[in-house]
């Protein structure tokens, strides 16, 4: 339910590494960069900065991370509830 770009963001935030994120999500590093660029443009803020060849999360990323984690959890609960309800309805028919 949550846009995949937000899952990419979560992984970048957790690893602070675009290459490791790409490997973990089985996408290219370019895709990771595009996802982050999209979110930065959409939200009008810079999320990460490279300092001395290291990726650093900026304050906007800290806030977005906490809220996105909450949304991802709610999204997963919603999908699980829908699946459970559908399975129960199928068994009753």
């Amino acid at each position: 339910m949550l846009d995949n770009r937000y899952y990419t963001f979560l992984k970048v935030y957790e690893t602070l590494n675009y290459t490791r994120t790409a490997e973990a999500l089985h996408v290219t590093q370019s895709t990771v960069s595009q996802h982050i660029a999209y979110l930065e443009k959409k939200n009008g803020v810079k999320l990460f900065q490279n300092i001395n060849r290291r990726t650093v999360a900026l304050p906007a990323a800290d806030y977005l991370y906490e809220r996105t984690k909450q949304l991802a959890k709610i999204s997963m609960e919603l999908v699980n509830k829908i699946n459970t309800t559908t399975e129960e309805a199928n068994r009753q028919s």
Side-chain angles (χ1 to χ4, degrees):
M1 302 286 271
L2 193 62
D3 187 315
N4 281 340
R5 290 173 280 214
Y6 285 98
Y7 290 110
T8 300
F9 163 76
L10 289 173
K11 192 55 127 174
V12 171
Y13 187 92
E14 291 165 357
T15 65
L16 294 177
N17 188 298
Y18 283 43
T19 301
R20 277 190 249 139
T21 296
E23 290 169 356
L25 300 178
H26 306 288
V27 298
T28 64
Q29 185 175 342
S30 174
T31 298
V32 172
S33 296
Q34 289 171 10
H35 286 187
I36 298 305
Y38 171 85
L39 293 173
E40 288 177 334
K41 185 175 181 180
K42 180 180 179 188
N43 294 298
V45 294
K46 190 104 172 104
L47 298 170
F48 300 100
Q49 185 173 5
N50 289 319
I51 300 174
N52 296 327
R53 296 168 55 171
R54 295 190 66 189
T55 301
V56 176
L58 298 176
D62 297 334
Y63 179 80
L64 185 60
Y65 178 76
E66 292 305 321
R67 296 298 181 239
T68 302
K69 270 183 40 176
Q70 292 172 350
L71 289 172
K73 181 181 178 198
I74 291 167
S75 179
M76 185 171 290
E77 289 169 355
L78 178 64
V79 168
N80 288 339
K81 181 65 174 174
I82 290 169
N83 289 339
T84 302
T85 303
T86 302
E87 289 171 6
E88 289 171 1
N90 287 340
R91 278 183 277 195
Q92 292 176 0
S93 51

